[in-house]
Every structure is written in C-alpha cells, then in structure tokens.
Amino acid sequence: KQAATNLKNQDISVRFTGDALKPSLSVFGFYAGAGLQGTSASSSSGLLDAFGQSFEGTYPEYAGGFSLSIPLRNRTAQADSLRSQIERNQLLISQQRSRNTISMEVRKAIIGLEQGKAQLEAAHTAASLAREMWEGEKVKLEAGASTSYQVILRERDYTSARYSEVNARVAYAKAMVEMDRAIRFTAAEWRDG
C-alpha cells in the first residue's frame, strides 16, 4: 500500500517537473473604474462625484496582455525531470521486487506443503511395514523360528518408523501453517496494493 502511494506521488512529481520543460503562455486582463474629483467649491460634492464616476465607469481603466515563456536549455528543469523519472523507475522496480518476493514465498510454501505430504505418506507406509515386520517376527518367535533378539530389533525399527512418522506430521503441519500465512499475506498485499 505504501509503495502504491509513493508511486502515485512520484507520478505527480514526474508530471510537474515535465511541465517545467514546456513553454507556458499566460493571458491577463484588467478593468477598473476610476473617478476624478471635480472642481466644485464644496469638497464633499467633489468626493461624491468621484465615487459616482468610479461606480458608473465614466473613466475606465483597462489593460490586457500575454506572457510567453519558452524554456531554452533549462538544465535545472531537465535535471529535475530526469531525477523524477529515475526515482519513479526505482519505485516501480522496488514494487515489482516485492511482488516477486511474495510470489516466491507462495511457491515455496506450495512446494513445502507438497513435500510434507509426500514425506508423511512415505513415513506412514514405512511405519505400517515396520509394524507388520515386528508382528511377523513375534509370530515366528512363537513358532520357534526366530529369536527374541530379532523381535527386539524389529520393535526398535517400528518405534523408529513411528518417530519418523510423527516428525513428518509435524513438518506437514508446519508447511500447512506456512502456506496459510503466505496466502493471507499475499491476499492482503494484492488487495491493498
């Protein structure tokens, strides 16, 4: 939102400094009524006559004209105009960089979510297989075809697989939270910007 406001302000600056490089024409006009004090003996009647003449426009004053200004080799105005354009371009680049960063965060969150889901599925499958192997080893032990050491090893493998599955669930939950944050942040940025 701040970047959009700064860009609007800079657009105004670019237009203003660009206008300083253009010729300007000013036209003016003037009209006024004037009163002259008469030569009567009483000063009050002469003053009244002068006011009357002013309001009636007996002796009007008027003027008119124009002024043309053509800026030739105005280096200061040219420098100001170029500086404004450069600052505007820098703001545009900064705004695009912010958009790219936001877009990259969303893509990164999507990839993290997909990876987290795949890891969770793999860890769940590994835990299921480890449990089946442990249970199979227990059945072999009861039949006398295995040793308690082998059962303990398979139980250890199953526990390790369950631990990995829990870690995968935690990573997947974190990826979902990151995805939600990125989407909310992006929606707010695009709405305000």
Side-chain angles (χ1 to χ4, degrees):
K1 190 172 185 178
Q2 181 181 1
T5 303
N6 289 343
L7 190 58
K8 286 179 187 177
N9 289 340
Q10 197 58 40
D11 284 340
I12 292 169
S13 177
V14 166
R15 283 195 311 267
F16 176 77
T17 56
D19 287 346
L21 295 173
K22 297 176 184 175
S24 65
L25 175 66
S26 300
V27 178
F28 63 91
F30 170 77
Y31 178 82
L36 303 175
Q37 185 175 1
T39 57
S40 67
S42 119
S43 63
S44 64
S45 68
L47 185 59
L48 289 175
D49 287 343
F51 278 130
Q53 292 168 0
S54 291
F55 289 116
E56 292 172 4
T58 306
Y59 304 104
E61 291 182 42
Y62 49 88
F66 67 92
S67 170
L68 177 64
S69 173
I70 301 173
L72 298 174
R73 302 181 70 100
N74 188 347
R75 300 293 184 201
T76 303
Q78 289 173 346
D80 288 343
S81 178
L82 287 174
R83 185 174 33 256
S84 278
Q85 290 173 11
I86 289 170
E87 288 173 0
R88 181 182 181 278
N89 290 342
Q90 287 173 340
L91 286 172
L92 283 171
I93 290 168
S94 175
Q95 189 177 39
Q96 187 59 45
R97 188 178 300 129
S98 294
R99 285 185 175 147
N100 290 346
T101 300
I102 291 167
S103 178
M104 186 177 66
E105 280 188 31
V106 170
R107 277 189 242 125
K108 186 176 168 185
I110 290 170
I111 290 169
L113 189 63
E114 290 173 355
Q115 286 177 343
K117 184 177 180 184
Q119 287 174 350
L120 178 59
E121 289 172 358
H124 179 70
T125 302
S128 294
L129 291 174
R131 181 177 179 185
E132 288 177 14
M133 290 178 71
W134 174 49
E135 289 175 351
E137 202 64 43
K138 286 194 299 186
V139 170
K140 283 184 186 179
L141 179 66
E142 289 174 4
S146 183
T147 64
S148 58
Y149 178 72
Q150 291 295 325
V151 173
I152 292 171
L153 286 178
R154 298 298 167 244
E155 184 178 10
R156 181 201 65 188
D157 293 344
Y158 173 60
T159 304
S160 177
R162 287 288 296 155
Y163 180 74
S164 294
E165 184 181 9
V166 169
N167 284 338
R169 284 189 191 281
V170 169
Y172 183 63
K174 286 180 180 179
M176 287 189 340
V177 168
E178 179 60 24
M179 179 70 176
D180 185 57
R181 184 204 62 79
I183 288 174
R184 287 178 191 267
F185 179 71
T186 303
E189 283 294 310
W190 290 122
R191 182 182 60 240
D192 295 340

